[in-house]
Amino acid sequence: MPWDPRIQALVDRYPVLRAVGNTPLVPVDVLKRDLPDVEVFAKMESLNPGGSLKDRPVLRMLLGALDDGQLKPGKTVLDSSSGNAGIAYAMIGRIIDVPVEIVIPNNASAERKKRMLAHGATLTFTDALLGYDEALREVRRRFEADPDHYFFCDQYSNQDNWRAHYETTAVEIIQQTGGRLTHVVVGVGTGGTLTGLGRRLREHDPSIRLVCIIPEAFPGVEGLKPLGRAEDIVPAILDETLIDERVPVSVDEAYRMFVRRLHGRRRARRTARWPRPLRDALQRHRRALLLDPPLGLTAGRRPRQARRGATRSAKSRIDFSTRSLGIRPPGFIQAVRAVPPGGTSRASSPRCGSAGAASGTAWA
């Protein structure tokens, strides 16, 4: 990946970090029934060793702090997370041998908590009823109480967050699509993905539109901010001028769509539709890209096989990142070659535009 040279030098010092990024771009047929003329591609960030796209910004933030001296020996990395960034912090912190403390809502999934603890992170929990923003407030309180003990990475205002996506994620997408796409569909957690992708893709083609998915405030979606209320904390690095469309999608709408996609039952197919606001936003166009979709979206027509594949994928990631911590196991490529089921494997994924040639239709 085209990391900044100072970051690349540190990646070369810790070779296992080379596994971050270069994820495949795969076509998905989730819209075929409703919008047969629309082609959708998914960037499979779940195949990063930490299991999400958060590996990219956390890698750049921590290595950048090492390079410029902010992360000094004896300091503990501190930040808040809904889970995925916490896993990346814990995993990469273990690799570069720095302690990590994560402030996290107590309703985070058990799998995420176990993963962070397995990497040796210390967890501090906040009241889930107060929302994720309470974790943001608590992490600042802890840093202000003992600034000499902590390096507060602050992913919500750290400029290395969006730069990671500007330098790597967006460049990969341009290469994998041959530079031909009309829309990018993405949510907002810290704002790093949207800001980094938006700035780089607009440099490539100013006509590319960014569609931002806005979940409801309650029950909400882990890792995504609703951004609809006056009291919501807006990430400092989020460049809202890049957003062309804001599409509200409820948890119920998303669930009904997944019922249809994963189970394929007739009753579900009759009642579940792609969320109407997003369908309306896309039906005038030809191509779109989903960032970091759930594995089930990219599976073929055999949902049981897809679920088994998802289990294998999670096990491969956990085995890889918890066993090696600095040594790349020789079986890693073979382990990820089997996933995603029904899709393109990481080892053989399109890297130079072949994904964009899946159809003969013109790009809008």
Side-chain angles (χ1 to χ4, degrees), residues 225-353:
K225 294 187 69 64
L227 298 177
R229 304 171 300 173
E231 63 269 27
D232 289 330
I233 297 176
V234 178
I237 61 172
L238 174 62
D239 186 350
E240 295 189 81
T241 64
L242 296 168
I243 300 174
D244 294 300
E245 297 180 60
R246 296 172 184 251
V247 179
V249 177
S250 72
V251 172
D252 287 341
E253 285 181 296
Y255 176 77
R256 287 195 296 269
M257 186 271 289
F258 272 105
V259 168
R260 182 188 64 174
R261 183 63 190 90
L262 295 179
H263 299 289
R265 296 173 181 169
R266 289 185 178 179
R267 182 177 179 182
R269 284 201 300 268
R270 287 197 301 269
T271 59
R273 313 290 289 181
W274 181 262
R276 182 175 295 277
L278 183 56
R279 188 170 71 248
D280 293 342
L282 293 178
Q283 64 183 354
R284 301 184 304 275
H285 308 283
R286 310 293 290 180
R287 303 284 176 110
L289 173 71
L290 301 177
L291 264 294
D292 203 18
L295 191 62
L297 269 181
T298 60
R301 298 193 178 190
R302 299 173 63 183
R304 291 187 179 180
Q305 181 182 1
R307 288 194 293 272
R308 288 199 300 272
T311 302
R312 288 196 301 271
S313 174
K315 183 178 186 301
S316 298
R317 292 196 304 267
I318 292 172
D319 287 349
F320 162 65
S321 56
T322 57
R323 284 188 293 113
S324 58
L325 298 177
I327 301 174
R328 184 170 184 162
F332 174 65
I333 294 299
Q334 287 72 23
V336 300
R337 193 181 296 276
V339 294
T344 305
S345 72
R346 179 173 182 172
S348 59
S349 63
R351 304 274 177 92
C352 301

Side-chain angles (χ1 to χ4, degrees), residues 58 61-62 65 77-79 89 151-158:
V58 170
M61 290 188 293
L62 292 185
V77 173
L78 174 70
D79 211 341
Y89 276 122
F151 163 65
F152 180 26
C153 200
D154 195 7
Q155 59 172 325
Y156 280 77
S157 62
N158 194 316

Side-chain angles (χ1 to χ4, degrees), residues 23-46:
T23 55
L25 188 75
V26 299
V28 296
D29 63 356
V30 69
L31 284 177
K32 284 295 185 184
R33 182 168 178 265
D34 296 331
L35 300 170
D37 293 331
V38 173
E39 293 186 84
V40 180
F41 296 87
K43 186 78 166 133
M44 295 300 295
E45 291 296 289
S46 58

Side-chain angles (χ1 to χ4, degrees), residues 203-240:
E203 290 175 6
H204 170 74
D205 182 355
S207 69
I208 295 175
R209 296 179 65 81
L210 265 71
V211 180
C212 181
I213 300 300
I214 306 294
E216 56 200 341
F218 186 84
V221 177
E222 286 186 24
L224 296 184
K225 294 187 69 64
L227 298 177
R229 304 171 300 173
E231 63 269 27
D232 289 330
I233 297 176
V234 178
I237 61 172
L238 174 62
D239 186 350
E240 295 189 81

